Amino acid sequence: MADDDIILAELSDEDLVAQMKDDLYDGMKEEIEEGTRLLLDRGWTPYDVLTKSLVAGMQIVGEDFRDGILFVPEVLLSANAMKAGMAILRPLLVETGAPKQGKMVIGTVKGDIHDIGKNLVGMMMEGAGFEVVDLGINIDVDKYLAAIEEHQPELLGMSALLTTTMPYMKVVIDTLVQKGIREKVIVLVGGAPLNEDFANQVGADAYCRDAAVTVETARSLIERRHNQL
Ligand code: B1M
């Protein structure tokens, strides 16, 4: 059966998720929007739709990108489709009655334009009651410093997806030390090529594997800091 003949609404949940992974791979934005809405209508939580269809689908795209099967233009279409699904989930993930827990400034480091993971972290943090100031992509040290000065956040989040851009996190953290403001912010770092060792080496407070871990880590480090005061 050709893709055109597939009626998403008639698929079982399992088949729909499999089809959404294919559609994400093929960069089919409207199908991703429809699939996202269908899963929500069937009672799926926004978090499950996000992780089990969109993030899982992007994982496959990443593997084929790495292996030279997909190229930048195709991956851009997949990213756009993913963003369209995230746009539907965003209001659901960020709606919260929780009291404000603190403020986070977040940005993708200089030289790096990957923003899907960072956006997802921002959404989950907002959903958990944090105020999020998203600086965007390709953020240099001066922009991080200016944002810390302006917004006085408890947390600074940095994202990097490239092995060539992740060392820039150390530039930012070293500058915070030089300026005598390192202790003012909890620095959380994340992105696919990072790990805990790297976070320790650059002097971050914690490495966050994913958006959910970022929320947990932010909560526990803020609580620890309050207890020390
Ligand atoms: Co890029 N890319 N890309 N890419 N891309 C990767 C990262 C790569 C691993 C692909 C591969 O080869 N398998 C590879 C890097 C290899 C390396 O460095 N060793 C790569 C490359 C090489 C490149 C280019 C250099 C390709 C080229 O031009 N030849 C180029 C670089 C451009 C630049 O930045 N200067 C490039 C471009 C692009 C696109 C523009 C096409 C597109 C980005 C679109 C966009 O973001 N708007 C793109 C994409 C989509 C990817 C992959 C396929 C998917 C990334 C993604 O969105 N994942 C990626 C492959 C991969 O990661 N496996 C790849 C989904 C997202 C939810 O996960 O971002 O990991 P992730 O975020 C997670 C966690 O990491 C964590 O939480 C998130 C949510 O759970 N997290 C944080 C992330 N940031 C955090 C910050 C925190 C906390 C947690 O702060 C507190």
Side-chain angles (χ1 to χ4, degrees):
M1 192 193 270
D3 262 8
D4 295 353
D5 301 325
I6 294 173
I7 299 175
L8 296 180
E10 289 178 356
L11 299 178
S12 67
D13 284 12
E14 196 185 334
D15 288 345
L16 176 55
V17 168
Q19 184 59 43
M20 283 176 72
K21 289 179 188 167
D22 283 353
D23 289 342
L24 191 80
Y25 192 95
D26 294 332
M28 296 168 79
K29 181 171 170 258
E30 276 146 31
E31 284 75 2
I32 288 298
E33 288 171 337
E34 187 185 344
T36 300
R37 289 201 181 92
L38 279 169
L39 288 176
L40 289 171
D41 289 347
R42 292 181 191 183
W44 280 51
T45 63
Y47 185 70
D48 275 353
V49 180
L50 184 66
T51 51
K52 293 182 181 164
S53 64
L54 302 183
V55 174
M58 190 51 97
Q59 179 77 29
I60 302 167
V61 171
E63 284 159 16
D64 280 4
F65 190 23
R66 177 196 62 208
D67 296 342
I69 298 165
L70 288 179
F71 296 94
V72 169
E74 290 134 332
V75 177
L76 260 179
L77 288 177
S78 298
N80 283 342
M82 172 135 186
K83 284 186 171 187
M86 281 168 65
I88 294 170
L89 298 174
R90 187 174 195 283
L92 305 171
L93 284 166
V94 304
E95 82 187 7
T96 171
K100 282 287 165 239
Q101 309 241 6
K103 201 187 282 184
M104 174 187 241
V105 160
I106 189 166
T108 300
V109 297
K110 186 178 164 185
D112 202 320
I113 63 166
H114 295 86
D115 66 354
I116 293 175
K118 165 189 69 63
N119 296 349
L120 224 152
V121 169
M123 274 161 47
M124 295 284 291
M125 287 291 284
E126 281 181 19
F130 287 87
E131 187 180 337
V132 174
V133 179
D134 186 346
L135 304 178
I137 54 173
N138 192 25
I139 300 303
D140 67 21
V141 62
D142 291 338
K143 288 191 186 136
Y144 283 116
L145 288 177
I148 292 170
E149 172 73 25
E150 182 185 348
H151 300 286
Q152 302 287 318
E154 286 85 357
L155 301 151
L156 171 66
M158 286 189 281
S159 179
L161 266 288
L162 299 171
T163 45
T164 49
T165 57
M166 59 191 227
Y168 195 75
M169 292 176 170
K170 183 159 164 47
V171 174
V172 177
I173 295 173
D174 285 351
T175 310
L176 294 176
V177 173
Q178 280 161 23
K179 302 259 177 204
I181 54 171
R182 173 66 185 88
E183 297 312 316
K184 277 182 69 180
V185 281
I186 296 167
V187 180
L188 304 181
V189 294
L194 277 61
N195 57 31
E196 213 162 323
D197 277 352
F198 173 81
N200 290 334
Q201 279 164 28
V202 297
D205 290 290
Y207 158 67
C208 303
R209 191 184 61 240
D210 59 28
V213 168
T214 309
V215 170
E216 284 162 27
T217 310
R219 279 195 181 127
S220 87
L221 291 185
I222 284 190
E223 195 182 316
R224 197 185 301 167
R225 184 163 282 204
H226 284 161
N227 290 340
Q228 284 165 354
L229 294 175

